[in-house]
């Protein structure tokens, strides 16, 4: 299961393998919602499938107790167990085992395995399920990291695409102007000139960029040009 990075594909694999591992009637996986501080029944198989979509509060029912204590819990006769959740009152189940899915010091969820009455979970089976939950936690944690990285990459691509579109609109607007438009650095080096400016000078854009604004100004006029351009500031970024 560690090789599966698609979260939606991984979750059913976890419950199906846990179900087969302990020859259970049903297995479900609760995922912890930190914002609501509860467990959400994300996926189930067998008898547990009917409860997908339900939620348990911290300390509620068997899995809620597992979330609260962060320890495995097994009940031989869940139907008559006083700590059972009322929302599962009609469910006739014998033995139930809940194991926390811990990753990097925090609980990601709970795996809950159900069996018919008369088949309690042995100590070896509990240890086996604890080991399986550790593997599931690693797979689940890695899948979430991969999902977050993919989401961040997609957001970055969208942002870059929007930036390119914005730059294209800006350049198209500037290039359509009949007036000469320049963008210059504080040292008066030209970094951009629109088509009108290039036509005026009879040069290509690449022949303008990198030049100083003062190159085409008479020496006796350069001080005045510097003074005028020195008026440009963040509050007045454009001179007409």
């Amino acid at each position: 299961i560690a090789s599966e990075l698609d979260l939606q594909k991984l979750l059913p694999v976890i419950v199906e393998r846990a179900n087969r591992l302990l020859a259970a009637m049903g297995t479900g996986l609760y995922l912890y919602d930190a914002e609501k501080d509860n467990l959400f029944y994300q996926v189930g198989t067998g008898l547990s499938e009917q409860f997908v979509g339900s939620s348990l509060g911290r300390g509620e029912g068997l899995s809620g107790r597992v979330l609260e204590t962060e320890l495995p819990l097994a009940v031989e006769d869940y139907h008559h167990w006083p700590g059972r959740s009322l929302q599962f009152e009609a469910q006739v189940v014998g033995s139930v085992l809940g194991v926390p899915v811990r990753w990097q010091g925090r609980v990601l969820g709970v795996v809950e395995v159900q069996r018919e009455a008369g088949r309690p979970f042995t100590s070896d089976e509990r240890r086996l399920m604890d080991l399986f939950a550790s593997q599931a936690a690693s797979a689940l944690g890695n899948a979430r990291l991969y999902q977050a990285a993919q989401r961040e990459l997609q957001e970055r691509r969208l942002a870059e695409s929007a930036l390119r579109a914005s730059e294209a609109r800006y350049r198209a607007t500037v290039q359509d102007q009949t007036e000469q438009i320049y963008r210059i650095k504080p040292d008066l080096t030209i970094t951009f000139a629109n088509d009108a400016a290039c036509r005026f000078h009879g040069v290509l854009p690449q022949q303008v960029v990198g030049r100083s604004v003062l190159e085409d100004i008479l020496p006796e006029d350069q001080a005045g040009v510097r003074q005028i351009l020195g008026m440009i500031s963040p509050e007045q970024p454009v001179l007409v």
Side-chain angles (χ1 to χ4, degrees), residues 25 76-77 93-95 115-120:
M25 295 170 56
E76 290 191 18
D77 186 1
V93 179
S95 301
R115 275 183 178 169
E116 62 272 22
R119 290 188 61 208

Side-chain angles (χ1 to χ4, degrees), residues 133-168:
S134 297
Q135 294 179 352
S138 296
L140 186 56
N142 290 334
R144 284 184 168 179
L145 288 176
Y146 176 77
Q147 187 179 60
Q150 291 296 106
R151 184 166 54 250
E152 181 180 347
L153 180 60
Q154 179 64 16
E155 290 173 355
R156 187 179 304 170
R157 286 173 178 168
L158 291 174
E160 290 173 351
S161 177
L163 179 59
R164 287 193 297 268
S166 177
E167 290 176 344

Side-chain angles (χ1 to χ4, degrees), residues 11 14 23 32-33 36 39 44 47 57 69 104 118 130 146 158 168 193 205 209 212 219 222 226 228 231 234:
L11 299 180
I14 290 175
Y32 176 61
D33 186 332
K36 297 179 180 178
L39 293 170
L47 184 64
T69 63
Q104 294 186 349
D130 201 29
Y146 176 77
L158 291 174
V209 174
S212 172
Q222 289 184 6
R226 284 183 181 275
I228 293 172
M231 297 167 58

